[in-house]
Amino acid sequence: MAEIVRRLRPGQYWRIKEHESWFSDMSEQGLHFYEIGTHFAKFKKGDRKRMDYRLELAKSKYISSEKIRLFEESGWDYIASDRHFHVFAAPTDRKINEPPIDREEQITVANALFKKTLISFIFILLAVIALFWLIGSIWFTGNTPTLTLIEGHIFTTMVLSLLNLYYLISMAMGLLGIARIRRNMNEENYDNHHKPWEIFYRNNIIVNVMTMGISLFAIFIPFYQLLQMDTLTLPEEDSSLPFVRLATIETAPNLERDVFMIDEVDWGNNYSENWSIVAPIQFSMRENFIEKKGQRSDPNNSYEPSISSEVYRLNFKSLVAPLVDDLITKHSFVNEAESFMEGEHKEFDRLLIRQSDYNKEFIFVKDQSVMYIGYSGEVGADVIIENAAEKIVLLTEY
C-alpha cells in the first residue's frame, strides 16, 4: 500500500492556477494528489512524474459519470472534488488536448459562487459591525476604557472580532478572485502557464497556524480568568495582602467589624482577586468597622470608619498614566476630577490626594503598580500614606 502524505491545503480556493501548479510540482517530487479534505490534501508517495492538473469550478462535490467519461476521452483522469472545484490530471507526455471545460457552465458556476460568497460576506460584515459596536459600548461605559481593558472581560470578544475582521478581508479577496476568474472566462483569456505558488502557500500556512493559535488562546483566556477570580472574607489579622487595614491605622477603642454575611462571605469585609493579560495582579478590598459602645441605635455609637482599596500591577508601564486618569474618573462626580491634588513621597513615583473633613482618597503609583484607597474616618492622611508605602512594595512579591 502506498504511503499517504498529508499537506495543509491552501484555503484560498479561488487561486486555481496556483493550486494546479502546486499539484504538478508535488507530482514531480513523487507525491501524487488523490484526495482533498476541509483542511488537508492527501498525496500518495510514488515515482516522480510530470503531471498536469486542471481544476474546474463546481457548485458541490457531486460530479456526474458522464462528465468523468467526457474528460477521460480527452486524456484527463478525474482525481477528486471538494465543494469548490473538481480536479483532473493527465501525464504531461500523454496530454493531447486541454480538458473539455464548458466555458458557459463555468461562468454560471462562477456567478453562483460569487453570489454565495457575497451573501456570506454581507452576513459576516453585519456581525463584525455588531460586535465592534458591542465592544465599543462596553469599552467606553463609564468613560474608563483603560480600566475596562485591564479588567479583561472583553479581551476574548475583542480578539475574536479581530479574527472575524481578518476572515472578512479574506472573503473580500475571494470575491475579487472569483470576479477575476469570471472576467477571464468572459474574455476567453485562458492562462495555462505555471503559476508560482510557494509564497502564497507558505504565507497561507503561517496565517492559518497563527489564527488557530490566537483563537485557542482567546478561548482559553476566560476559563483561566474564571479560575483566578474569587471573593473571600478579609482575614482578621493584617496579612501579606497589599491592603492598608483599619486595624492597623485606627486607634479608637471598642472598634469591631461591621459584619454582613451572605453565603459564608462577609460582604462588609472582603477582598476580590482578578487577572487579565495586561494586569496579572488585581485586588479590590473593603473593610467596615463600627464602634460598639452600646446598642446600634445609641447616639454614641456613631463612629463607623471604612476603607476600600483597588490595587493593580500592570505588565505595561504605558498603561499606568491612563489607569490613574480612569481611577480619578471612576471615583469622581462631574467637575470633581480636578479636586485630586498632587503630593510627594519618596516611596512613590506619583501621589494624588483628595480630602475633606471626614473622607480621604489617595492614588499611589510605584513603578508598574497602582493603588487607589478611599477612606472615611478620623485618621490623618500621613498615617495612611506611610502604611500604603509599606503595602505597595508587597505587589512585587506576587
Side-chain angles (χ1 to χ4, degrees):
M1 180 179 290
E3 183 180 347
I4 306 301
V5 175
R6 290 177 173 80
R7 291 283 186 273
L8 194 64
R9 58 171 292 188
Q12 299 167 336
Y13 62 88
W14 63 90
R15 291 179 178 266
I16 285 179
K17 290 304 165 189
E18 285 88 344
H19 276 81
E20 292 175 350
S21 300
W22 178 43
F23 294 146
S24 293
D25 288 351
M26 295 296 280
S27 285
E28 288 201 32
Q29 298 173 24
L31 296 175
H32 305 292
F33 169 72
Y34 81 100
E35 186 178 328
I36 194 161
T38 303
H39 301 294
F40 291 92
K42 293 182 181 179
F43 299 83
K44 289 180 180 176
K45 269 192 172 181
D47 297 332
R48 296 172 182 265
K49 288 183 182 177
R50 293 192 62 199
M51 298 283 292
D52 288 318
Y53 289 84
R54 292 292 181 270
L55 271 60
E56 182 192 57
L57 286 174
K59 289 182 179 179
S60 68
K61 294 179 70 172
Y62 171 75
I63 181 170
S64 66
S65 56
E66 289 79 5
K67 176 170 283 189
I68 293 174
R69 182 178 52 78
L70 187 64
F71 275 72
E72 286 176 343
E73 289 175 355
S74 300
W76 293 84
D77 299 321
Y78 169 67
I79 304 298
S81 298
D82 80 346
R83 57 181 175 162
H84 293 120
F85 49 67
H86 305 305
V87 184
F88 301 91
T92 302
D93 56 3
R94 192 185 76 188
K95 185 185 69 175
I96 300 174
N97 301 312
E98 284 298 313
I101 294 177
D102 187 327
R103 187 175 70 88
E104 294 299 327
E105 180 187 347
Q106 287 295 281
I107 292 173
T108 303
V109 174
N111 287 335
L113 273 177
F114 186 89
K115 183 178 179 182
K116 181 181 175 182
T117 307
L118 181 61
I119 292 171
S120 299
F121 175 84
I122 293 171
F123 178 78
I124 294 179
L125 175 63
L126 294 175
V128 168
I129 291 173
L131 278 172
F132 276 100
W133 177 84
L134 178 64
I135 290 172
S137 300
I138 297 173
W139 204 337
F140 292 97
T141 298
N143 200 24
T144 55
T146 304
L147 198 53
T148 304
L149 175 68
I150 287 171
E151 289 171 348
H153 302 305
I154 63 168
F155 181 82
T156 297
T157 307
M158 188 169 62
V159 172
L160 294 180
S161 298
L162 291 174
L163 288 176
N164 276 319
L165 185 61
Y166 162 73
Y167 290 128
L168 192 68
I169 295 171
S170 178
M171 199 169 287
M173 293 171 63
L175 284 171
L176 294 175
I178 297 169
R180 185 171 58 249
I181 292 171
R182 189 173 54 183
R183 185 180 64 248
N184 289 339
M185 287 180 178
N186 278 320
E187 296 173 354
E188 298 189 34
N189 180 20
Y190 302 110
D191 178 13
N192 290 329
H193 295 94
H194 188 277
K195 196 89 171 180
W197 54 269
E198 291 85 353
I199 294 177
F200 126 80
Y201 181 79
R202 182 197 62 202
N203 292 345
N204 196 66
I205 288 179
I206 292 173
V207 170
N208 278 336
V209 171
M210 286 181 62
T211 53
M212 187 179 299
I214 292 171
S215 300
L216 291 174
F217 180 68
I219 293 170
F220 167 78
I221 289 295
F223 290 101
Y224 185 75
Q225 193 170 27
L226 281 174
L227 291 175
Q228 299 299 313
M229 291 173 64
D230 204 358
T231 298
L232 302 167
T233 297
L234 198 63
E236 293 277 356
E237 67 279 5
D238 188 0
S239 63
S240 59
L241 292 168
F243 310 135
V244 175
R245 302 289 300 274
L246 289 178
T248 303
I249 62 175
E250 289 288 342
T251 58
N254 304 316
L255 284 174
E256 296 180 7
R257 277 190 167 186
D258 193 6
V259 178
F260 181 61
M261 296 296 294
I262 297 179
D263 294 334
E264 299 182 353
V265 174
D266 181 359
W267 290 92
N269 304 275
N270 66 74
Y271 71 99
S272 298
E273 300 175 79
N274 191 19
W275 175 94
S276 73
I277 290 287
V278 296
I281 305 297
Q282 300 182 43
F283 289 106
S284 62
M285 179 278 281
R286 69 176 66 187
E287 190 173 27
N288 293 276
F289 276 12
I290 185 168
E291 191 171 25
K292 290 283 188 180
K293 289 183 177 178
Q295 298 300 315
R296 192 177 182 86
S297 58
D298 190 329
N300 293 322
N301 191 14
S302 58
Y303 185 49
E304 299 180 9
S306 66
I307 193 167
S308 64
S309 295
E310 295 170 30
V311 181
Y312 307 90
R313 195 180 76 191
L314 308 174
N315 275 336
F316 306 101
K317 196 162 187 176
S318 59
L319 291 175
V320 169
L323 173 59
V324 170
D325 292 340
D326 280 6
L327 286 172
I328 292 172
T329 301
K330 177 182 177 182
H331 295 284
S332 299
F333 293 107
V334 179
N335 299 326
E336 272 193 346
E338 296 179 358
S339 58
F340 269 97
M341 306 299 291
E342 294 281 351
E344 290 187 359
H345 191 283
K346 64 179 181 180
E347 294 296 333
F348 301 112
D349 301 328
R350 194 177 179 192
L351 167 59
L352 294 168
I353 308 172
R354 177 168 65 190
Q355 56 183 325
S356 60
D357 292 340
Y358 198 72
N359 297 311
K360 302 174 182 67
E361 292 175 273
F362 308 85
I363 297 176
F364 305 98
V365 177
K366 185 178 180 63
D367 297 327
Q368 292 171 207
S369 299
V370 178
M371 175 186 288
Y372 165 84
I373 293 179
Y375 169 75
S376 295
E378 297 172 348
V379 173
D382 56 332
V383 176
I384 298 172
I385 292 171
E386 291 302 326
N387 275 268
E390 296 176 8
K391 293 297 184 181
I392 203 168
V393 173
L394 296 176
L395 285 173
T396 60
E397 299 176 1
Y398 284 92

